[in-house]
Amino acid sequence: MNSPASPVSLTGPPLALSVSSFVSSFDRFAVSPMLVLIAVDLDVPLSAAVAAASGYYLAYGLTQPLWGLLSDRFGRVRVMRVALFGAALAGVASALMPVIGALVVARVVTGACFGAVIPTGLTYVGDTVRPAVRQRALTDLMAAAALGTALATGLGGVVAGLVDWRVAFTVPAVCALVCALTLGSLPEPPRARVEGAGLGAARYLGAVLGHGWALLVFGLAFVEGAIMLGAMPFLATALEHAGYAAAVAGLAITAYGLGLWSFAKLVKRLAGRWPAPALMTVGGAQLAAGFLLVSLHVGMVTVAVTALLLGGGWSFLHSSLQTWATSVVPEARGTAIAFFACALFVGSAVASWVAGPLAEHGRYALLFGLASAAAIPLTAVAALTRRRYGLLERPQPQPE
């Protein structure tokens, strides 16, 4: 394999990239508060409307490896622009669909297209920002996505209720079109080439899937997704099970996006001063403490505090894992980041499936207690292996 090309000298993500990440996150999280309204308007059961969200999430996660391979082969900016154009068209189609089946198809296509934005954006940062300040830049990108998450969970249902749910699909679609046009001004970063026999895609896959450290990082992402993304959605249902209205439960979960945004700013200050294992330890401790708190008592205050702690845990732990993923296989960075994201979402899907029966029977204390317990070995393994990786990567003194 050739060594990676020299990165462009940037210290943070370009504004167009941050806005694109914001729009992608907003579109992904805005649909949940609108499901009841969609079901009523289209005169279908709620379970049918949920398919519009679950299909979106499934397409979002499963298309990650494809986008990664394409970005390694054809370029980061080109792939993001094509994906955003597709998301714009599919988003407008979503707003126009008169029946649930067509809406589900449109949302699946939208999720597949928006799925390219954040992982490819992370790859762009990995290509253009030097390692010493890369986590700070990735944290900026995470903060933009977190702001989109917070506004989507807080405003998505309000916009749909006061205006129309179709407007909540139209606005991100228009923004995606603007982002696709604006990204045209970004330079395409140089990419290293993977040498060897076979087609280009096979070489990139071999470089990533044959790398032991990369497989470890993917495994950690799978477990993190299972704990965090798999258990967190049940915070709202736990509140509703305790007698709170759906709107109130959604308001409490908004604390997650706000916590993620604020803690991301703190991580940006600490990155470079604290070693990655220390950041991982702080993040994992927040995950464990947050889920432990809500396993003891479900209420507005405990759920809001847990959501804040989960936002902090995501900022500290996930940004550290993301940074590691950008550097573990630099010659196939796009493919590595895509598999990292895919592992994250597959982990969340598996955990949601396993946790569903517990939630159905109201056993939230056990559900959240298991998530808290699982965060402890995840944190220990992540911190210890990251420290080991750092020692192996450190230049060895040459004999005189």
Side-chain angles (χ1 to χ4, degrees):
M1 300 175 188
N2 290 342
S3 59
S6 299
V8 180
S9 181
L10 295 181
T11 58
L15 178 60
L17 202 62
S18 295
V19 174
S20 298
S21 296
F22 169 89
V23 173
S24 176
S25 288
F26 186 93
D27 189 79
R28 180 155 54 101
F29 285 93
V31 68
S32 296
M34 303 189 298
L35 293 176
V36 173
L37 296 174
I38 292 173
V40 171
D41 188 44
L42 298 183
D43 193 23
V44 296
L46 179 60
S47 58
V50 168
S54 58
Y56 183 108
Y57 299 145
L58 187 63
Y60 190 99
L62 293 181
T63 55
Q64 302 293 317
L66 173 63
W67 290 122
L69 288 168
L70 291 175
S71 76
D72 275 337
R73 182 68 178 84
F74 298 106
R76 322 303 187 197
V77 177
R78 183 181 300 176
V79 164
M80 282 189 288
R81 296 189 71 203
V82 169
L84 284 166
F85 279 124
L89 291 174
V92 171
S94 299
L96 297 176
M97 291 305 171
V99 295
I100 190 64
L103 175 62
V104 170
V105 172
R107 295 314 293 165
V108 167
V109 176
T110 308
C113 291
F114 267 126
V117 176
I118 292 181
T120 311
L122 295 172
T123 307
Y124 188 93
V125 170
D127 289 338
T128 57
V129 178
R130 66 184 190 275
V133 295
R134 187 176 295 161
Q135 185 161 359
R136 299 176 189 173
L138 292 173
T139 303
D140 281 339
L141 205 61
M142 179 185 292
L147 187 58
T149 300
L151 290 180
T153 53
L155 297 179
V158 174
V159 171
L162 296 180
V163 186
D164 190 275
W165 61 267
R166 299 179 187 276
V167 175
F169 287 149
T170 304
V171 172
V174 173
C175 292
L177 177 60
V178 174
C179 289
L181 296 173
T182 307
L183 283 173
S185 62
L186 290 186
E188 187 69 62
R191 305 184 308 280
R193 296 187 180 276
V194 178
E195 296 179 346
L199 299 175
R203 293 200 299 270
Y204 287 116
L205 283 173
V208 171
L209 299 181
H211 197 293
W213 284 110
L215 296 179
L216 171 65
V217 175
F218 301 157
L220 293 172
F222 177 91
V223 177
E224 183 194 31
I227 296 171
M228 179 72 183
L229 301 181
M232 188 180 68
F234 293 104
L235 290 175
T237 59
L239 274 178
E240 293 179 49
H241 185 84
Y244 292 88
V248 176
L251 184 62
I253 307 306
T254 303
Y256 165 74
L258 297 176
L260 203 162
W261 183 81
S262 57
F263 277 108
K265 297 297 184 182
L266 177 59
V267 172
K268 183 179 178 180
R269 291 178 175 272
L270 296 177
R273 302 179 186 178
W274 288 20
L279 295 173
M280 290 176 170
T281 301
V282 172
Q286 288 176 290
L287 292 185
F291 281 122
L292 177 62
L293 176 64
V294 81
S295 72
L296 299 175
H297 176 70
V298 173
M300 275 293 295
V301 174
T302 56
V303 168
V305 172
T306 293
L308 282 171
L309 288 171
L310 296 184
W314 189 255
S315 298
F316 277 84
L317 177 60
H318 187 69
S319 69
S320 300
L321 289 174
Q322 276 184 341
T323 305
W324 193 1
T326 63
S327 61
V328 69
V329 192
E331 65 273 14
R333 185 176 282 124
T335 303
I337 290 292
F339 271 96
F340 175 84
C342 183
L344 188 78
F345 287 108
V346 170
S348 69
V350 171
S352 296
W353 177 72
V354 172
L358 294 177
E360 185 176 353
H361 292 91
R363 304 183 67 183
Y364 291 103
L366 176 59
L367 192 161
F368 296 133
L370 289 173
S372 176
I376 297 173
L378 167 66
T379 304
V381 173
L384 291 173
T385 54
R386 181 61 182 87
R387 181 178 181 275
R388 176 63 176 167
Y389 177 83
L391 292 175
L392 292 176
E393 291 295 299
R394 186 177 301 167
Q396 299 297 318
Q398 298 296 322
E400 297 182 359

